[in-house]
Amino acid sequence: MVVVKAVRPAISCSSSGFDGGQLVPLHKVSFVNLTLPASLLSVRLSSRNNAKLSLVQSTKESSTASTNDRAAVFSGENLHQIATNGKATNIVWHKSSVGKVHWQEVLQQRGCVIWITGLSGSGKSNLACALCQALYSRGKLAYILDGDNVRHGLNRDLSFEAEDRAENIRRIGEVAKLFADAGIICIASVISPYRKDRDACRSLLPEGDFIEVLLVLMIRMNHP
């Protein structure tokens, strides 16, 4: 037996109870919280309007949607897990049916991150631009995440203190991962002297999809 914990704003059902696998027509936009025993791993519903069903199994929560008169089956195998990540709570990762592999097929290239690091003035931005131009001339889709450029928008709230520098790199790494997931070649040119920060960005991607380039500024001294 499933216990209805809360309803918002209304729900119309064809029966007084909910059983695993039972067809439950929802005639209005509705939201209902259910507590499912471990033995009940599936609920089937159909809706004429948009509907959202939030399922709670033991201590694990999930949510999903059914739209346009299409019946949806929710089971223990496809429940989305509501999680807490950092300061973000009650969040759900929604996986798209179109992923990195599909975009790589469309673009005919491998999505990856080329991470160019080095001291200020070592030529990171120049190399990133030259590489992007070369890829463009070969019909490849690439995008540059330049450390200074990113501070004009996404990271404009960050200073150059140690803690903010680390956060600057973390954000660039997360954005670079999104580009790679879309099958794009992302070129990140940023001062990132600490290996732990670079390794944290590397860990976001599959092995081989993070290519690190270290530029060393060479100064030649001409003696008389």
Side-chain angles (χ1 to χ4, degrees):
M1 178 180 179
V2 177
V3 180
V4 178
K5 304 292 290 186
V7 178
R8 187 178 73 243
I11 185 169
S12 177
C13 303
S14 60
S15 66
S16 58
F18 293 82
D19 295 321
Q22 179 181 357
L23 183 63
V24 183
L26 303 179
H27 303 302
K28 299 180 180 180
V29 177
S30 310
F31 188 91
V32 58
N33 288 334
L34 307 174
T35 299
L36 298 179
S39 59
L40 290 179
L41 294 181
S42 66
V43 175
R44 189 179 181 190
L45 64 84
S46 64
S47 63
R48 294 183 180 176
N49 298 310
N50 294 344
K52 182 176 181 180
L53 179 65
S54 178
L55 301 181
V56 179
Q57 181 186 349
S58 300
T59 59
K60 297 179 180 179
E61 296 183 343
S62 66
S63 66
T64 188
S66 174
T67 60
N68 301 327
D69 286 327
R70 297 177 59 186
V73 177
F74 306 90
S75 68
E77 297 179 354
N78 61 11
L79 295 183
H80 299 294
Q81 298 302 317
I82 292 182
T84 297
N85 189 359
K87 295 180 179 179
T89 60
N90 197 36
I91 57 176
V92 178
W93 181 270
H94 293 277
K95 186 176 181 180
S96 172
S97 59
V98 180
K100 183 177 181 179
V101 174
H102 303 93
W103 288 118
Q104 289 182 148
E105 291 177 353
V106 170
L107 298 172
Q108 289 297 297
Q109 64 181 42
R110 179 176 178 178
C112 65
V113 174
I114 302 175
W115 191 276
I116 304 175
T117 185
L119 297 177
S120 177
S122 60
K124 298 183 301 299
S125 297
N126 289 337
L127 176 60
C129 291
L131 177 57
C132 190
Q133 179 63 45
L135 290 170
Y136 168 74
S137 66
R138 289 167 173 77
K140 302 301 181 181
L141 181 59
Y143 192 85
I144 299 174
L145 290 177
D146 183 85
D148 283 354
N149 291 357
V150 174
R151 283 184 176 272
H152 280 78
L154 177 65
N155 293 348
R156 64 184 178 185
D157 60 321
L158 300 177
S159 69
F160 288 94
E161 298 297 327
E163 183 177 352
D164 280 357
R165 283 180 179 272
E167 174 62 14
N168 177 62
I169 295 171
R170 187 194 71 79
R171 293 184 189 179
I172 293 175
E174 291 285 355
V175 174
K177 174 183 179 295
L178 296 179
F179 276 109
D181 284 346
I184 299 172
I185 301 170
C186 182
I187 307 169
S189 57
V190 56
I191 299 175
S192 47
Y194 298 112
R195 179 174 295 276
K196 66 177 183 179
D197 294 333
R198 300 195 304 273
D199 286 347
C201 295
R202 185 195 308 275
S203 67
L204 298 173
L205 293 102
E207 185 176 355
D209 285 0
F210 185 95
I211 304 166
E212 184 177 318
V213 179
L214 172 62
L215 287 187
V216 179
L217 181 62
M218 302 296 293
I219 301 178
R220 175 177 296 181
M221 301 297 292
N222 295 321
H223 298 282

